[in-house]
Amino acid sequence: EARTALRPPLSRLTRDERPLRAVTERDLPALAELFYAAYHETMDDLGEDIAAWQLHLEDVAQGRFGDWIAAASLVTPLSAPLDSATMVIRLGAQIAMLGQIVTRRSRANRGLASALLRHSLNTLAGLGYRQCFLETTIGNHNAQHLYRKHGFAEVGPRIVYAEWRGS
């Protein structure tokens, strides 16, 4: 499936008071269940089971894709079962990648992903990051709507990334 990307201006982000916190390694089993629940039988489902998601998340936490930015990787609610999460890694100097934003389908369209996205980007800006990239499947209209709602702009088709530049 082809991928596309979007970019927001950081200045549009606002504070949100939803109960959320940074991800810890202790969260990985609950995150694996959340990722499975969020992706299973969707256009982005590549056949991963909970064990595969657990291995993927361990790889993220161990820095196999880039240094994990735990402070910008967030979950809600504060304890399991988790409803929504972000996972963020460092790609380079002042450059991050928002690897995943997931929400349990039964909790979709309640502002959870929006709140986590705002907080992740604000945290990155506070840590000195100037750019953040992400990928989304072109046909994933819900994800594209979320990113556009937050001011992301598409930067290209295929293996492309969404980007924001902090001020």
Side-chain angles (χ1 to χ4, degrees), residues 7-32:
R7 173 180 61 187
L10 186 58
S11 61
R12 290 188 184 180
L13 303 177
T14 59
R15 185 170 165 83
D16 191 316
E17 298 299 327
R18 291 187 187 274
L20 53 85
R21 63 173 174 77
V23 172
T24 68
E25 288 194 47
R26 291 185 309 275
D27 293 315
L28 298 184
L31 280 172

mmCIF file of all heavy atoms in Angstrom, residues 7-32:
data_model
loop_
_atom_site.group_PDB
_atom_site.id
_atom_site.type_symbol
_atom_site.label_atom_id
_atom_site.label_comp_id
_atom_site.label_asym_id
_atom_site.label_seq_id
_atom_site.Cartn_x
_atom_site.Cartn_y
_atom_site.Cartn_z
ATOM 1 N N ARG A 7 2.585 17.608 7.327
ATOM 2 C CA ARG A 7 3.420 18.420 8.205
ATOM 3 C C ARG A 7 2.597 19.528 8.857
ATOM 4 O O ARG A 7 1.886 20.239 8.166
ATOM 5 C CB ARG A 7 4.546 19.035 7.393
ATOM 6 C CG ARG A 7 5.374 20.020 8.169
ATOM 7 C CD ARG A 7 6.487 20.609 7.360
ATOM 8 N NE ARG A 7 5.972 21.320 6.214
ATOM 9 C CZ ARG A 7 6.730 21.815 5.263
ATOM 10 N NH1 ARG A 7 8.023 21.662 5.303
ATOM 11 N NH2 ARG A 7 6.208 22.451 4.250
ATOM 12 N N PRO A 8 2.706 19.726 10.217
ATOM 13 C CA PRO A 8 1.983 20.816 10.883
ATOM 14 C C PRO A 8 2.923 21.926 11.355
ATOM 15 O O PRO A 8 4.091 21.675 11.626
ATOM 16 C CB PRO A 8 1.412 20.127 12.112
ATOM 17 C CG PRO A 8 2.527 19.220 12.511
ATOM 18 C CD PRO A 8 3.146 18.749 11.195
ATOM 19 N N PRO A 9 2.410 23.145 11.496
ATOM 20 C CA PRO A 9 3.182 24.169 12.215
ATOM 21 C C PRO A 9 3.027 23.938 13.714
ATOM 22 O O PRO A 9 1.914 23.756 14.197
ATOM 23 C CB PRO A 9 2.527 25.474 11.781
ATOM 24 C CG PRO A 9 1.131 25.083 11.424
ATOM 25 C CD PRO A 9 1.197 23.658 10.919
ATOM 26 N N LEU A 10 4.103 23.915 14.441
ATOM 27 C CA LEU A 10 4.067 23.623 15.867
ATOM 28 C C LEU A 10 3.283 24.671 16.646
ATOM 29 O O LEU A 10 2.672 24.372 17.658
ATOM 30 C CB LEU A 10 5.490 23.510 16.409
ATOM 31 C CG LEU A 10 5.639 23.060 17.854
ATOM 32 C CD1 LEU A 10 4.990 21.698 18.061
ATOM 33 C CD2 LEU A 10 7.094 23.001 18.225
ATOM 34 N N SER A 11 3.250 25.889 16.178
ATOM 35 C CA SER A 11 2.614 26.967 16.924
ATOM 36 C C SER A 11 1.111 26.773 17.120
ATOM 37 O O SER A 11 0.512 27.396 17.974
ATOM 38 C CB SER A 11 2.856 28.297 16.221
ATOM 39 O OG SER A 11 2.286 28.253 14.927
ATOM 40 N N ARG A 12 0.465 25.911 16.364
ATOM 41 C CA ARG A 12 -0.975 25.693 16.491
ATOM 42 C C ARG A 12 -1.346 24.758 17.629
ATOM 43 O O ARG A 12 -2.507 24.606 17.943
ATOM 44 C CB ARG A 12 -1.540 25.095 15.200
ATOM 45 C CG ARG A 12 -1.543 26.034 14.060
ATOM 46 C CD ARG A 12 -2.293 25.425 12.920
ATOM 47 N NE ARG A 12 -2.230 26.302 11.772
ATOM 48 C CZ ARG A 12 -2.793 26.044 10.634
ATOM 49 N NH1 ARG A 12 -3.454 24.928 10.459
ATOM 50 N NH2 ARG A 12 -2.703 26.890 9.637
ATOM 51 N N LEU A 13 -0.383 24.115 18.231
ATOM 52 C CA LEU A 13 -0.681 23.116 19.253
ATOM 53 C C LEU A 13 -1.143 23.773 20.544
ATOM 54 O O LEU A 13 -0.677 24.834 20.924
ATOM 55 C CB LEU A 13 0.544 22.246 19.505
ATOM 56 C CG LEU A 13 1.067 21.536 18.259
ATOM 57 C CD1 LEU A 13 2.319 20.766 18.597
ATOM 58 C CD2 LEU A 13 0.022 20.623 17.673
ATOM 59 N N THR A 14 -2.079 23.138 21.227
ATOM 60 C CA THR A 14 -2.615 23.665 22.472
ATOM 61 C C THR A 14 -2.486 22.623 23.572
ATOM 62 O O THR A 14 -2.301 21.446 23.311
ATOM 63 C CB THR A 14 -4.106 24.033 22.313
ATOM 64 O OG1 THR A 14 -4.822 22.860 21.928
ATOM 65 C CG2 THR A 14 -4.293 25.128 21.278
ATOM 66 N N ARG A 15 -2.631 23.065 24.784
ATOM 67 C CA ARG A 15 -2.536 22.171 25.938
ATOM 68 C C ARG A 15 -3.836 21.377 26.086
ATOM 69 O O ARG A 15 -4.911 21.891 25.877
ATOM 70 C CB ARG A 15 -2.271 23.011 27.184
ATOM 71 C CG ARG A 15 -2.039 22.215 28.419
ATOM 72 C CD ARG A 15 -1.536 23.139 29.517
ATOM 73 N NE ARG A 15 -1.633 22.516 30.798
ATOM 74 C CZ ARG A 15 -0.734 21.684 31.295
ATOM 75 N NH1 ARG A 15 0.324 21.387 30.590
ATOM 76 N NH2 ARG A 15 -0.874 21.156 32.487
ATOM 77 N N ASP A 16 -3.713 20.143 26.485
ATOM 78 C CA ASP A 16 -4.868 19.264 26.693
ATOM 79 C C ASP A 16 -4.701 18.622 28.062
ATOM 80 O O ASP A 16 -3.605 18.229 28.426
ATOM 81 C CB ASP A 16 -4.911 18.197 25.594
ATOM 82 C CG ASP A 16 -6.215 17.425 25.578
ATOM 83 O OD1 ASP A 16 -6.682 17.036 26.660
ATOM 84 O OD2 ASP A 16 -6.738 17.203 24.484
ATOM 85 N N GLU A 17 -5.764 18.506 28.810
ATOM 86 C CA GLU A 17 -5.681 18.000 30.175
ATOM 87 C C GLU A 17 -6.074 16.530 30.308
ATOM 88 O O GLU A 17 -6.398 16.078 31.393
ATOM 89 C CB GLU A 17 -6.561 18.863 31.093
ATOM 90 C CG GLU A 17 -6.123 20.314 31.154
ATOM 91 C CD GLU A 17 -4.705 20.493 31.691
ATOM 92 O OE1 GLU A 17 -4.275 19.708 32.551
ATOM 93 O OE2 GLU A 17 -4.032 21.418 31.232
ATOM 94 N N ARG A 18 -6.062 15.774 29.236
ATOM 95 C CA ARG A 18 -6.418 14.351 29.327
ATOM 96 C C ARG A 18 -5.386 13.617 30.181
ATOM 97 O O ARG A 18 -4.213 13.956 30.171
ATOM 98 C CB ARG A 18 -6.450 13.721 27.940
ATOM 99 C CG ARG A 18 -7.593 14.229 27.110
ATOM 100 C CD ARG A 18 -7.685 13.466 25.815
ATOM 101 N NE ARG A 18 -8.667 14.067 24.959
ATOM 102 C CZ ARG A 18 -9.961 13.783 25.020
ATOM 103 N NH1 ARG A 18 -10.403 12.902 25.864
ATOM 104 N NH2 ARG A 18 -10.809 14.378 24.219
ATOM 105 N N PRO A 19 -5.814 12.560 30.890
ATOM 106 C CA PRO A 19 -4.861 11.786 31.683
ATOM 107 C C PRO A 19 -3.965 10.953 30.762
ATOM 108 O O PRO A 19 -4.426 10.034 30.099
ATOM 109 C CB PRO A 19 -5.746 10.904 32.560
ATOM 110 C CG PRO A 19 -7.019 10.775 31.790
ATOM 111 C CD PRO A 19 -7.173 12.060 31.020
ATOM 112 N N LEU A 20 -2.713 11.320 30.692
ATOM 113 C CA LEU A 20 -1.763 10.581 29.880
ATOM 114 C C LEU A 20 -0.411 10.622 30.562
ATOM 115 O O LEU A 20 -0.181 11.411 31.465
ATOM 116 C CB LEU A 20 -1.688 11.127 28.463
ATOM 117 C CG LEU A 20 -1.419 12.615 28.275
ATOM 118 C CD1 LEU A 20 0.060 12.925 28.305
ATOM 119 C CD2 LEU A 20 -2.025 13.074 26.970
ATOM 120 N N ARG A 21 0.467 9.740 30.114
ATOM 121 C CA ARG A 21 1.804 9.683 30.699
ATOM 122 C C ARG A 21 2.760 9.096 29.681
ATOM 123 O O ARG A 21 2.351 8.520 28.665
ATOM 124 C CB ARG A 21 1.804 8.852 31.980
ATOM 125 C CG ARG A 21 1.432 7.407 31.738
ATOM 126 C CD ARG A 21 1.591 6.557 32.999
ATOM 127 N NE ARG A 21 1.092 5.219 32.794
ATOM 128 C CZ ARG A 21 1.750 4.261 32.126
ATOM 129 N NH1 ARG A 21 2.934 4.494 31.600
ATOM 130 N NH2 ARG A 21 1.211 3.062 31.988
ATOM 131 N N ALA A 22 4.043 9.233 29.977
ATOM 132 C CA ALA A 22 5.078 8.668 29.116
ATOM 133 C C ALA A 22 5.072 7.143 29.225
ATOM 134 O O ALA A 22 4.783 6.574 30.286
ATOM 135 C CB ALA A 22 6.448 9.211 29.505
ATOM 136 N N VAL A 23 5.388 6.512 28.118
ATOM 137 C CA VAL A 23 5.502 5.053 28.068
ATOM 138 C C VAL A 23 6.754 4.616 28.827
ATOM 139 O O VAL A 23 7.787 5.293 28.789
ATOM 140 C CB VAL A 23 5.601 4.582 26.592
ATOM 141 C CG1 VAL A 23 5.906 3.093 26.506
ATOM 142 C CG2 VAL A 23 4.326 4.919 25.836
ATOM 143 N N THR A 24 6.663 3.480 29.505
ATOM 144 C CA THR A 24 7.837 2.855 30.109
ATOM 145 C C THR A 24 7.956 1.440 29.532
ATOM 146 O O THR A 24 7.003 0.916 28.944
ATOM 147 C CB THR A 24 7.716 2.755 31.643
ATOM 148 O OG1 THR A 24 6.687 1.825 31.970
ATOM 149 C CG2 THR A 24 7.423 4.119 32.266
ATOM 150 N N GLU A 25 9.096 0.832 29.739
ATOM 151 C CA GLU A 25 9.271 -0.544 29.243
ATOM 152 C C GLU A 25 8.278 -1.509 29.893
ATOM 153 O O GLU A 25 7.909 -2.505 29.285
ATOM 154 C CB GLU A 25 10.717 -1.006 29.440
ATOM 155 C CG GLU A 25 11.653 -0.295 28.473
ATOM 156 C CD GLU A 25 13.013 -0.943 28.382
ATOM 157 O OE1 GLU A 25 13.060 -2.185 28.248
ATOM 158 O OE2 GLU A 25 14.005 -0.211 28.425
ATOM 159 N N ARG A 26 7.823 -1.204 31.092
ATOM 160 C CA ARG A 26 6.817 -2.059 31.750
ATOM 161 C C ARG A 26 5.499 -2.075 30.982
ATOM 162 O O ARG A 26 4.688 -2.977 31.141
ATOM 163 C CB ARG A 26 6.575 -1.586 33.186
ATOM 164 C CG ARG A 26 7.744 -1.823 34.118
ATOM 165 C CD ARG A 26 7.417 -1.447 35.555
ATOM 166 N NE ARG A 26 6.863 -0.108 35.707
ATOM 167 C CZ ARG A 26 7.585 1.012 35.816
ATOM 168 N NH1 ARG A 26 8.901 0.949 35.797
ATOM 169 N NH2 ARG A 26 6.999 2.178 35.963
ATOM 170 N N ASP A 27 5.268 -1.063 30.137
ATOM 171 C CA ASP A 27 4.027 -0.971 29.361
ATOM 172 C C ASP A 27 4.027 -1.845 28.113
ATOM 173 O O ASP A 27 2.980 -1.996 27.481
ATOM 174 C CB ASP A 27 3.790 0.475 28.901
ATOM 175 C CG ASP A 27 3.514 1.413 30.035
ATOM 176 O OD1 ASP A 27 2.707 1.054 30.921
ATOM 177 O OD2 ASP A 27 4.100 2.512 30.034
ATOM 178 N N LEU A 28 5.164 -2.390 27.723
ATOM 179 C CA LEU A 28 5.245 -3.069 26.436
ATOM 180 C C LEU A 28 4.233 -4.195 26.254
ATOM 181 O O LEU A 28 3.615 -4.284 25.184
ATOM 182 C CB LEU A 28 6.673 -3.526 26.165
ATOM 183 C CG LEU A 28 7.723 -2.396 26.081
ATOM 184 C CD1 LEU A 28 9.080 -2.959 25.718
ATOM 185 C CD2 LEU A 28 7.305 -1.289 25.133
ATOM 186 N N PRO A 29 3.981 -5.064 27.240
ATOM 187 C CA PRO A 29 2.948 -6.088 27.031
ATOM 188 C C PRO A 29 1.553 -5.496 26.779
ATOM 189 O O PRO A 29 0.834 -5.936 25.884
ATOM 190 C CB PRO A 29 2.978 -6.909 28.321
ATOM 191 C CG PRO A 29 4.381 -6.731 28.833
ATOM 192 C CD PRO A 29 4.726 -5.295 28.494
ATOM 193 N N ALA A 30 1.180 -4.478 27.544
ATOM 194 C CA ALA A 30 -0.129 -3.840 27.342
ATOM 195 C C ALA A 30 -0.161 -3.101 26.007
ATOM 196 O O ALA A 30 -1.197 -3.074 25.328
ATOM 197 C CB ALA A 30 -0.443 -2.886 28.491
ATOM 198 N N LEU A 31 0.966 -2.512 25.616
ATOM 199 C CA LEU A 31 1.040 -1.850 24.309
ATOM 200 C C LEU A 31 0.902 -2.853 23.177
ATOM 201 O O LEU A 31 0.241 -2.571 22.170
ATOM 202 C CB LEU A 31 2.359 -1.093 24.163
ATOM 203 C CG LEU A 31 2.440 0.266 24.822
ATOM 204 C CD1 LEU A 31 3.863 0.793 24.749
ATOM 205 C CD2 LEU A 31 1.468 1.242 24.191
ATOM 206 N N ALA A 32 1.522 -4.015 23.323
ATOM 207 C CA ALA A 32 1.416 -5.045 22.282
ATOM 208 C C ALA A 32 -0.042 -5.443 22.076
ATOM 209 O O ALA A 32 -0.504 -5.570 20.936
ATOM 210 C CB ALA A 32 2.265 -6.263 22.644
#
